[in-house]
Amino acid sequence: MEYKEFEDKIGKRVALKTQENEDFTGVLTNTKSMLETQSGEDEIILDTGKLYICIPFSDIKDIIEIKILGLRTQESEGFNNFFKIVQDSAKQRNCIFFLYNTVGNYKVIDNMECHNLSGWLIEEYMSDEFIYDYMSYNELKDWDDDMLTVEWNEIDGEVDIEFNKCILIKDDRIITRE
């Protein structure tokens, strides 16, 4: 890749795939000149939240900006407010929720557009493997076991989130996960 291909992503959260098909996520913080690197090539600096990684430009296959973790598209402010509550509930399980679709039970409460949802609940330590394929709209069959529904309820004026198993149809058979 060349600098101009990711210049607009500096300072933003990204999903990155290398030429060797390694997946990384983090904040693209800066670049380093080939005069300053051990590789002798221009490199990006990626803050993964745990460590900083330097990757030569030539090793980068693709970079995709992540606007809101768990969403592929820009949503309304009201939905984003609700989605933050969903992500907070997922984080309590050391997971990240990735939206597939809204599935009804729509109601506006305190500047939140609440919906039941379907998607994937991915453990944080596995999320780098998942994010790039999710953001690229790649096939996600290997992640069927992580698919579930999110149902919300209003309890005493507060939004309560519940993650539930999903019923999948595979090869014309209904599979219920426990």
Side-chain angles (χ1 to χ4, degrees):
M1 285 195 106
E2 294 183 26
Y3 179 77
K4 64 183 178 189
E5 295 177 80
F6 57 80
E7 175 182 20
D8 62 328
K9 295 173 180 64
I10 292 178
K12 298 178 181 171
R13 185 168 179 79
V14 297
L16 178 144
K17 186 171 283 293
T18 67
Q19 298 293 349
E20 293 81 30
N21 288 322
E22 295 174 297
D23 298 308
F24 297 98
T25 60
V27 177
L28 180 57
T29 60
N30 210 339
T31 61
K32 280 183 135 182
S33 163
M34 68 176 111
L35 301 173
E36 303 174 289
T37 64
Q38 290 181 352
S39 68
E41 297 183 50
D42 292 332
E43 297 179 351
I44 64 154
I45 302 170
L46 187 71
D47 177 1
T48 67
K50 296 175 187 165
L51 56 107
Y52 287 87
I53 300 173
C54 295
I55 303 171
F57 291 7
S58 63
D59 287 353
I60 301 169
K61 184 188 251 181
D62 196 17
I63 296 178
I64 300 169
E65 182 180 349
I66 302 170
K67 295 192 185 289
I68 295 179
L69 188 59
L71 296 178
R72 290 177 172 141
T73 59
Q74 181 62 45
E75 302 297 333
S76 69
E77 181 180 350
F79 184 81
N80 291 344
N81 293 339
F82 170 70
F83 198 72
K84 182 181 180 327
I85 292 173
V86 173
Q87 289 297 27
D88 289 346
S89 289
K91 187 155 187 71
Q92 291 174 1
R93 298 170 175 236
N94 296 316
C95 294
I96 301 169
F97 179 75
F98 294 87
L99 178 67
Y100 177 68
N101 207 354
T102 59
V103 288
N105 194 20
Y106 173 77
K107 184 176 180 183
V108 176
I109 301 172
D110 296 330
N111 198 27
M112 285 188 294
E113 296 173 17
C114 305
H115 297 263
N116 287 349
L117 310 172
S118 65
W120 297 266
L121 189 65
I122 305 296
E123 292 183 62
E124 286 177 344
Y125 77 93
M126 297 289 294
S127 65
D128 280 355
E129 284 184 45
F130 183 82
I131 290 172
Y132 181 84
D133 285 337
Y134 172 78
M135 294 300 293
S136 300
Y137 292 87
N138 290 338
E139 191 171 294
L140 298 167
K141 283 184 180 179
D142 292 342
W143 300 91
D144 281 353
D145 289 342
D146 299 295
M147 192 158 217
L148 48 71
T149 59
V150 174
E151 295 180 11
W152 73 274
N153 290 294
E154 187 177 6
I155 300 174
D156 299 325
E158 298 290 322
V159 172
D160 182 60
I161 301 298
E162 185 176 313
F163 296 100
N164 296 306
K165 66 183 176 181
C166 219
I167 296 176
L168 302 174
I169 299 175
K170 207 178 224 182
D171 301 324
D172 295 326
R173 294 181 300 128
I174 295 177
I175 300 168
T176 305
R177 292 190 326 225
E178 296 301 323

